[in-house]
Amino acid sequence: MSDKSTMAAMSPSKRRLQKELTSLIREPPPGVHVDEDLTSQNLTQWIVHMEGAKGTLYEGEQFQLQFRFSSKYPFDSPEVTFIGGNIPIHPHIYSNGHICLSILTEDWSPALSVQSICLSIVSMLSSCKEKKRPPDNSFYVKTCSKNPKKTKWWYHDDNV
Amino acid sequence: MKVTIKSWTGVATWRWIANDDNCGICRMPFDASCPDCKIPGDDCPLVWGQCSHCFHIHCIMKWLHSQQTRHLCPMCRQEWKFKE
C-alpha cells in the first residue's frame, strides 16, 4: 500500500491517512495501538485500542476507539467514539461512547492527527479524579444523533 | 598538457527554505507538491503566515475556505495573516 504509484493514485485524504497509519504502526504512542488488519482494509474507518495509563483511575482497563473520516479529512475532523463493551466512565464521555472534546469539533485543526487525538484522549482520562458519567448522560443518550459531530457541544470544563 | 573543454552541462538543485520538512496540513514534504498538484516548485508554492508557520499555498487556502468565521493558523491557532 505504501508503494509510491499506489499512493499517487489515492485521493488526498487517503494519502494523508495512509501516511498517518504507517507512522502510527511504526511509532505508536504508549498504550495506543491501531488495529492494522481492519484499518488497512478500509482507510476511512479505523479501530484503535487504548489502555488506561499506569497510576491513573483507568490503569489495567482496555478501550476501543472508532475513527471515521470523510473525504474532506484533514479539513474536516474525524468522527471519534468509544465502542465495544468497555466505555470509560468519565465526566466527558457518554455511555454511548460519545466524547465531549473540543478538538473533535470547533477546535479542530488540520495539523492535528489520529496520534494527537489519541494523546488528548489518554490525557483526558489520566487527569480524571473521579469516575462518573456526565450529569446529563441519560437525557443525552436518549436524544442525541448517532453522529457525535451533529451534537452542539457546550464545552464548559477544562479541568478534567 | 593542454585541455580543451568541448562542452559542459550545468546541474542545479533547489529546495524550499522552510522551518520544517513537511507541510503540517497534507504531511507531504515541502519539496514535493501538495496532494492536488503533480509538479513541485513555483506551481505549488509555499506561503508564510505572520506567525512564521508555513504551508503549501493550496493547503492553507483550502483550510481558510473551509472556515466560516475564524481564520486561524492550524499550528498555533493565532489569527492567520499572510506575511508580506
Side-chain angles (χ1 to χ4, degrees):
Chain A
M1 276 296 255
S2 57
D3 164 49
K4 270 196 178 151
S5 56
T6 323
M7 281 287 269
M10 286 178 166
S11 66
S13 68
K14 289 205 174 150
R15 280 167 80 169
R16 206 191 108 151
L17 285 169
Q18 183 62 53
K19 272 177 175 273
E20 284 195 49
L21 180 61
T22 309
S23 80
L24 202 59
I25 291 170
R26 197 181 297 144
E27 293 167 53
V32 172
H33 83 267
V34 60
D35 192 313
E36 289 181 42
D37 291 338
L38 280 176
T39 302
S40 309
Q41 282 167 32
N42 179 4
L43 264 183
T44 62
Q45 186 161 322
W46 295 26
I47 302 294
V48 174
H49 302 274
M50 181 175 275
E51 43 187 77
K54 283 210 176 99
T56 71
L57 295 179
Y58 303 92
E59 180 171 345
E61 288 189 67
Q62 302 281 340
F63 308 108
Q64 280 190 322
L65 280 166
Q66 176 182 260
F67 286 72
R68 289 154 66 111
F69 304 90
S70 78
S71 60
K72 293 194 195 110
Y73 182 78
F75 301 100
D76 186 27
S77 64
E79 188 189 315
V80 185
T81 49
F82 278 101
I83 57 165
N86 193 24
I87 308 287
I89 298 175
H90 183 283
H92 294 171
I93 300 168
Y94 290 87
S95 53
N96 63 353
H98 288 197
I99 307 165
C100 179
L101 181 63
S102 66
I103 57 164
L104 297 177
T105 53
E106 64 185 48
D107 289 337
W108 169 253
S109 143
L112 294 171
S113 61
V114 174
Q115 168 160 351
S116 58
I117 293 171
C118 288
L119 289 173
S120 289
I121 294 176
V122 170
S123 105
M124 184 176 109
L125 292 176
S126 298
S127 59
C128 180
K129 293 184 187 73
E130 188 191 350
K131 278 188 178 183
K132 56 179 180 192
R133 289 280 180 224
D136 57 338
N137 185 65
S138 50
F139 179 74
Y140 176 77
V141 171
K142 269 183 244 151
T143 56
C144 69
S145 157
K146 256 189 151 177
N147 179 353
K149 290 181 66 182
K150 298 220 168 98
T151 299
K152 185 79 194 105
W153 294 103
W154 189 28
Y155 304 107
H156 47 275
D157 173 13
D158 291 330
N159 298 318
V160 188
Chain B
M1 188 175 71
K2 197 173 168 186
V3 175
T4 311
I5 295 171
K6 289 186 173 161
S7 74
W8 58 281
T9 309
V11 175
T13 62
W14 66 272
R15 54 163 305 158
W16 292 106
I17 298 171
N19 44 13
D20 208 344
D21 293 335
N22 300 316
C23 172
I25 296 177
C26 68
R27 304 291 163 96
M28 302 295 283
F30 279 131
D31 293 331
S33 68
C34 82
D36 291 321
C37 291
K38 291 217 158 57
I39 302 165
D42 286 342
D43 290 336
C44 187
L46 311 191
V47 280
W48 279 259
Q50 284 181 11
C51 58
S52 87
H53 291 112
C54 111
F55 304 95
H56 288 118
I57 191 169
H58 301 132
C59 294
I60 189 72
M61 290 313 288
K62 253 196 191 174
W63 168 242
L64 298 177
H65 284 144
S66 75
Q67 295 298 292
Q68 277 151 14
T69 47
R70 298 176 301 169
H71 284 177
L72 305 181
C73 170
M75 303 298 267
C76 64
R77 299 182 194 280
Q78 292 184 63
E79 194 188 343
W80 177 267
K81 286 191 181 126
F82 288 97
K83 199 171 175 180
E84 299 292 320

